[in-house]
Amino acid sequence: MNKHKSRLFKENVLLRCINCGSIYEADPWLFICPRCRGLLEVEMPSNIEVDFRSIANRRMGVWKYKELLPLGNDIKPITMGEGGTPLIKLSRVMEALNINGIEAYVKFEGANPTGSFKDRGMTVGVTIAKYIGVKGVIVASTGNTAASAAAYAARAGIKCIVVLPKGGVAKGKIAQALLHGAEVMELDGTFDDALEEVFMNVTSSNSRDLYPLNSYNPWRLEGQKTIAFEVVDELGIVPDAVIVPVGNAGNISAIWKGFKELYRYGLIRELPRMIGIQAEGAAPLASAWSRGLDTPQFIEKPMTIASAIRIGRPVNWMKAVRAVRESKGTFISVTDEEILESIKILARFEGIGVEPASATTLAGLIKAYNNGIIERNSTVVLIATGHALKDPDTIIRYSL
Ligand SMILES: *Cc1c(COP(=O)(O)O)cnc(C)c1O
Ligand SMILES: [Zn+2]
């Protein structure tokens, strides 16, 4: 082990293949299991010495929970105070929708520094990139990953290269990537094609100049698991269900991992059900689930107004299916009309402005309630992943 590794990660942090179970030493460059090509997951040490009370005086945010993150405690993070987002109780919306006996909260990830939850992953990912001394980071993106990577790379003083599906990214997100100085490459094709391009580039070249920060990078997802920590920390209880928009399926997997770790460390005694929402035209997981299939049938040309989740081949599908199955949750799909309606309801009744992908959570809650998937006397948290300002064109085009 070189001296970098021993300081970058905590002792006893490992990588485990989610497919064949092989265990590997913590390594920032290992993304795919060399034995079976499965995705890897960070395995935290079996013991930690922290509970919510002992850190109650710390500022809210991703790094409040540094003992629960895999990075060494003396690592200096590249941070902008990400996380610590508001948990907003819905009242007028529930009344307007006539949903009774359910306590619902919105975790407003739009309040992150670049306006989406991606900042939670990027603060960890770019901290690693800076530490290992790469020239820059590279991502494929439907937009928010690009905006976030660009900002954190700027802060770290390293390059950022983003590969975007041409014409498939909301205006606010492209503007951010350019503003923060990213090198933007547009690709004819879908996000899935862009991701493959980045993946092939990184895995086929021997050069380690550019560090990839898409969600197949298990280290990035470690930052995102703090959504679970904050929900429990702030609510004081474990919600019955957590509703998450699903695109590449990294976030739902990360949040579930966060809850499971709290459980394993004895910090909580129950686990929530994970409910993943996809848009109807981009729902490989939801449509497989509804037909009782375990493996998604990938979609060549995903279509939805919710560009952040316009993804046909979710790279983390296996982690997400496991999260939903283990938690006794479900996948649900919603239509673009339902998404538009939900944006408007959140905006008009609660003052919460979200981008289309995030509104799938309210549309999903309505469906789950009507189908009896969510019972009365439940506490539910909707993960509102990105800010309304990300996609002003949709608001104006549909006169929301
Ligand atoms: C990235 C993103 C998603 C999807 O998250 P995955 O981890 O890819 O499933 C949902 N909503 C917004 C706003 C996003 O930026
Ligand atoms: Zn394997």
Side-chain angles (χ1 to χ4, degrees):
M1 218 202 264
N2 69 34
K3 69 177 192 296
H4 267 1
K5 280 185 199 164
S6 58
R7 295 204 351 258
L8 178 54
F9 300 119
K10 287 184 174 68
E11 243 183 283
N12 300 321
V13 169
L14 300 166
L15 288 167
R16 177 195 294 274
C17 172
I18 63 157
N19 188 45
C20 76
S22 296
I23 299 269
Y24 303 95
E25 213 178 88
D27 177 346
W29 285 101
L30 193 62
F31 307 116
I32 298 294
C33 176
R35 296 204 180 103
C36 79
R37 303 197 54 75
L39 285 183
L40 301 172
E41 177 169 82
V42 175
E43 174 127 328
M44 290 292 291
S46 50
N47 284 306
I48 48 119
E49 310 225 339
V50 73
D51 57 36
F52 288 121
R53 207 170 310 151
S54 67
I55 59 172
N57 291 329
R58 291 187 195 164
R59 188 191 173 282
M60 281 295 276
V62 167
W63 297 97
K64 176 178 181 179
Y65 311 99
K66 63 177 191 214
E67 287 85 354
L68 295 161
L69 295 174
L71 298 193
N73 286 332
D74 53 348
I75 292 283
K76 209 170 155 290
I78 307 293
T79 176
M80 291 192 263
E82 53 293 315
T85 54
L87 190 67
I88 307 167
K89 186 164 179 186
L90 298 183
S91 55
R92 298 188 64 231
V93 160
M94 304 302 272
E95 215 178 287
L97 293 172
N98 205 13
I99 296 181
N100 302 306
I102 294 194
E103 207 162 287
Y105 295 83
V106 162
K107 182 73 172 152
F108 187 43
E109 290 296 296
N112 274 297
T114 77
S116 84
F117 73 84
K118 300 298 199 300
D119 293 347
R120 293 178 188 270
M122 288 304 160
T123 185
V124 171
V126 173
T127 295
I128 292 173
K130 179 75 179 172
Y131 185 90
I132 61 180
V134 290
K135 290 208 180 93
V137 297
I138 183 166
V139 293
S141 180
T142 60
N144 282 330
T145 297
S148 184
Y152 282 83
R155 192 160 175 79
I158 59 177
K159 278 203 316 188
C160 177
I161 294 173
V162 304
V163 187
L164 306 177
K166 199 175 200 160
V169 175
K171 196 188 272 172
K173 304 174 188 181
I174 294 214
Q176 286 177 292
L178 293 170
L179 173 66
H180 295 298
E183 210 172 290
V184 174
M185 290 158 56
E186 289 187 304
L187 196 111
D188 276 316
T190 62
F191 164 82
D192 305 286
D193 302 328
L195 182 61
E196 194 153 315
E197 184 81 13
V198 166
F199 187 73
M200 294 312 280
N201 193 293
V202 169
T203 50
S204 66
S205 80
N206 287 323
S207 117
R208 291 191 162 179
D209 288 345
L210 294 175
Y211 191 60
L213 280 178
N214 280 105
S215 56
Y216 64 76
N217 181 323
W219 305 105
R220 176 188 132 182
L221 293 181
E222 290 297 291
Q224 292 170 215
K225 76 185 181 186
T226 57
I227 290 177
F229 302 164
E230 287 183 10
V231 165
V232 172
D233 199 357
E234 186 162 354
L235 268 186
I237 57 161
V238 178
D240 297 287
V242 178
I243 306 186
V244 190
V246 172
N248 226 3
N251 206 32
I252 190 169
S253 314
I255 296 171
W256 176 239
K257 185 172 191 283
F259 282 111
K260 278 204 303 187
E261 287 176 1
L262 294 180
Y263 188 86
R264 173 173 172 225
Y265 293 136
L267 301 181
I268 57 175
R269 282 148 191 267
E270 289 122 36
L271 288 164
R273 292 161 72 199
M274 301 300 297
I275 301 183
I277 316 294
Q278 297 200 292
E280 212 168 73
L285 288 164
S287 63
W289 189 266
S290 71
R291 278 179 277 150
L293 302 174
D294 258 8
T295 40
Q297 284 165 327
F298 292 155
I299 293 167
E300 279 313 309
K301 295 220 170 348
M303 277 186 298
T304 166
I305 50 155
S307 55
I309 53 170
R310 191 185 291 145
I311 293 175
R313 305 197 290 273
V315 71
N316 293 292
W317 69 266
M318 206 186 266
K319 288 184 179 181
V321 166
R322 196 186 53 180
V324 165
R325 190 178 314 111
E326 282 178 359
S327 73
K328 303 186 173 60
T330 188
F331 288 105
I332 295 174
S333 66
V334 297
T335 65
D336 279 1
E337 291 69 37
E338 290 166 330
I339 292 171
L340 291 169
E341 187 60 22
S342 297
I343 296 178
K344 200 164 171 172
I345 294 171
L346 282 171
R348 299 288 162 84
F349 286 95
E350 305 280 3
I352 301 172
V354 302
E355 65 165 284
S358 311
T360 61
T361 56
L362 180 64
L365 171 65
I366 296 168
K367 266 199 180 152
Y369 177 77
N370 290 337
N371 297 341
I373 293 167
I374 290 177
E375 292 157 10
R376 278 171 182 253
N377 301 316
S378 297
T379 301
V380 181
V381 175
L382 316 185
I383 310 300
T385 44
H387 201 285
L389 290 172
K390 293 285 191 172
D391 190 359
D393 287 343
T394 296
I395 298 171
I396 290 165
R397 188 176 318 124
Y398 295 95
S399 315
L400 295 181

